Amino acid sequence: MAQAKAISFLDRMGRAAVAAVAELGFAAVLLGQALLWTVIGRARRQPVRLSAVVKEAMDIGIRALPIVTIMSGTIGIMLAIQGIYSLRIFGAESKVTLGVALSIVREFGPLITGILVAGRSGSALAARLGTMKISQEIDALTVMGINPVRFLVAPPLLAALVMIPALTFYADLIGLLAAGLYISAELGQTLSAYWLDAIESITANDLLHGLGKSVLFAVLIVLVGVINGLSVSGGAEGVGRMTTRSVVHAISAIIITDMLFVFVTTR
């Protein structure tokens, strides 16, 4: 009995590993094809439509501004509160600006933006593609001679590559402003003095560190959403299942990639 359970467990693990490798390969192919169609699409008379990219950019970026503003401002205030509380033990609460500025620009700005976009736009992309697959709209595109990757994958990928770094920079500014307002009120420091300290604390490398991660997050969000959307089966229940799976996988991939990125870039 125990041997049968062990064999069954190993079989499930092996199948899961094979499926994971297959999905990684599929993601690499999708990314390569999307970038290739972006470059050669016009020569093939199937250009990536600018109107589609703008539409996706509006959904990923502009319509996400309210929730990004609220969350980044809240995170900034939370970091300021915790930073002052921790540094007050050592009588060094005046140094809180350094810790808050680096934390927001290098970590929390890109991380919170990536998670919000994954939950909002990544899931919507997976649901849309899943519905199209069930209704055989993707097969219809192929029959009409329209490449599905060029039509369905390239626009959200290009939009995400532009808008997620832009949202990250916006989240950095809002987080720093919210933290500055709290620090100014708590420590009696002027807001202009806070901004001078923050600017002196942040280097170009710190800013590029956060923006570089946001580019990776953009690729992950789109690819995870597309793969899960194209893997839908079983009708409406399958769409819901894969949409949930897309959010979980995208957030997990973002956090793991963030950890690896920080490990590699800080060696």
Side-chain angles (χ1 to χ4, degrees), residues 127-232:
R128 183 169 75 243
L129 292 181
T131 304
M132 292 181 69
K133 183 182 178 184
I134 290 175
S135 61
Q136 298 182 335
E137 293 180 46
I138 297 177
D139 294 334
L141 289 174
T142 305
V143 171
M144 289 187 294
I146 299 174
N147 187 279
V149 175
R150 191 271 300 178
F151 191 79
L152 299 174
V153 181
L157 178 62
L158 294 177
L161 288 173
V162 173
M163 297 308 298
I164 292 182
L167 275 177
T168 298
F169 184 72
Y170 173 78
D172 292 342
L173 294 178
I174 294 298
L176 289 172
L177 176 60
L181 292 174
Y182 181 85
I183 291 172
S184 298
E186 181 71 14
L187 301 182
Q189 183 184 30
T190 63
L191 192 58
S192 59
Y194 164 80
W195 278 113
L196 287 175
D197 289 343
I199 292 172
E200 290 178 357
S201 302
I202 301 170
T203 65
N205 287 334
D206 297 323
L207 184 60
L208 292 176
H209 178 95
L211 295 179
K213 285 194 295 187
S214 68
V215 172
L216 293 179
F217 296 164
V219 174
L220 289 173
I221 291 168
V222 173
L223 291 181
V224 170
V226 170
I227 290 172
N228 282 281
L230 296 179
S231 301
V232 167

Side-chain angles (χ1 to χ4, degrees), residues 27-140:
V29 171
L30 281 175
L31 177 61
Q33 289 185 355
L35 296 177
L36 182 64
W37 276 104
T38 302
V39 175
I40 69 170
R42 189 168 297 279
R44 296 278 186 92
R45 295 185 178 180
Q46 287 198 43
V48 177
R49 296 178 303 162
L50 180 60
S51 59
V53 177
V54 171
K55 180 181 178 181
E56 295 288 347
M58 288 290 294
D59 184 62
I60 293 173
I62 304 302
R63 295 191 178 96
L65 284 176
I67 186 64
V68 171
T69 302
I70 294 171
M71 294 304 298
S72 57
T74 303
I75 292 295
I77 294 174
M78 180 193 71
L79 288 173
I81 294 172
Q82 189 62 43
I84 292 174
Y85 175 78
S86 301
L87 292 174
R88 187 165 281 160
I89 300 174
F90 307 99
E93 59 267 28
S94 61
K95 302 296 182 181
V96 67
T97 302
L98 172 63
V100 168
L102 292 179
S103 297
I104 291 175
V105 171
R106 292 178 65 91
E107 292 299 328
F108 287 99
L111 189 61
I112 292 301
T113 301
I115 290 175
L116 288 175
V117 174
R120 185 181 177 279
S121 300
S123 60
L125 179 62
R128 183 169 75 243
L129 292 181
T131 304
M132 292 181 69
K133 183 182 178 184
I134 290 175
S135 61
Q136 298 182 335
E137 293 180 46
I138 297 177
D139 294 334

Side-chain angles (χ1 to χ4, degrees), residues 20-30:
V21 172
E23 286 193 354
L24 288 175
F26 186 33
V29 171
L30 281 175

